[in-house]
Amino acid sequence: IVFQTSSPIDRKMIFKQIYGETPYNYLKKYKMNIAAKQLKETDKNISDIALSLGYANPSKFSAAFTAVYGILPKEYRKRK
């Protein structure tokens, strides 16, 4: 999608109208979906998964994951 508006705020509003959420939330959910798949399908360390998704701090990753899934990554993995 190419946005031809003058301000970042206009682009954010258009993005939200199309996708129903802000670019930040969309990207966070996208990353957490990747994380969930890796938690289910691999034995990768949670810190390594966090790092591969751009989270240098595993606790920030855990908070983001919990915000999306309502459960800690380690608990999500146990339920696989």
Side-chain angles (χ1 to χ4, degrees):
I1 296 175
V2 176
F3 298 116
Q4 296 183 3
T5 59
S6 59
S7 79
I9 297 197
D10 290 340
R11 290 189 288 272
K12 286 180 190 176
M13 287 174 48
I14 292 169
F15 188 97
K16 188 170 182 176
Q17 287 174 347
I18 294 169
Y19 295 103
E21 56 194 343
T22 64
Y24 172 79
N25 284 337
Y26 182 88
L27 184 59
K28 181 167 72 169
K29 285 182 181 179
Y30 177 79
K31 287 181 174 186
M32 294 307 110
N33 286 332
I34 292 170
K37 184 174 180 175
Q38 289 182 8
L39 288 165
K40 282 184 178 180
E41 298 177 0
T42 73
D43 290 328
K44 276 184 165 180
N45 183 294
I46 293 173
S47 294
D48 292 337
I49 293 171
L51 194 57
S52 74
L53 295 170
Y55 288 87
N57 184 333
S59 64
K60 298 269 187 188
F61 165 77
S62 184
F65 190 90
T66 302
V68 172
Y69 282 94
I71 188 171
L72 291 168
K74 65 181 177 180
E75 295 299 322
Y76 184 87
R77 174 171 266 164
K78 287 179 187 177
R79 293 184 179 184
K80 70 175 179 180

